Amino acid sequence: EGREKAGQGNATLTCGPEREKLDLPLAAIRLERCREVVSWSNGKQTASVIWRSPGDRHIWAAEVVPWPGGPVIAWRVARPWW
């Protein structure tokens, strides 16, 4: 209907010290698992999971909740392009 909405929040990212093996479509690699928690201005929270390489911090996969009550958006990189 053409209506725009915007939300504002503060995010914290916490990454574990251990590496987890993650199966991607064309490879399996060890990545750090990070949890992002966003505290929104309306008092609600969302939590997402991000897998990234520890050295360069490239993100390889994620399960993201973009806003409170929103869907989980999951994706994985098939192969590196960088």
Side-chain angles (χ1 to χ4, degrees):
E1 297 177 2
R3 288 182 275 161
E4 292 184 22
K5 293 187 178 187
Q8 183 176 358
N10 292 316
T12 58
L13 185 68
T14 306
C15 301
E18 64 281 344
R19 306 297 178 252
E20 295 183 14
K21 180 182 168 191
L22 185 66
D23 292 324
L24 301 170
L26 299 175
I29 56 176
R30 300 191 69 76
L31 301 168
E32 63 183 4
R33 178 186 169 117
C34 301
R35 185 168 190 260
E36 177 193 57
V37 176
V38 179
S39 298
W40 296 90
S41 58
N42 63 4
K44 296 184 179 182
Q45 284 191 331
T46 56
S48 302
V49 178
I50 298 167
W51 288 270
R52 68 182 189 179
S53 47
D56 57 21
R57 296 186 175 162
H58 283 149
I59 297 174
W60 287 81
E63 294 174 2
V64 179
V65 180
W67 59 80
V72 175
I73 300 170
W75 58 270
R76 292 176 185 225
V77 171
R79 64 183 180 92
W81 60 85
W82 45 81

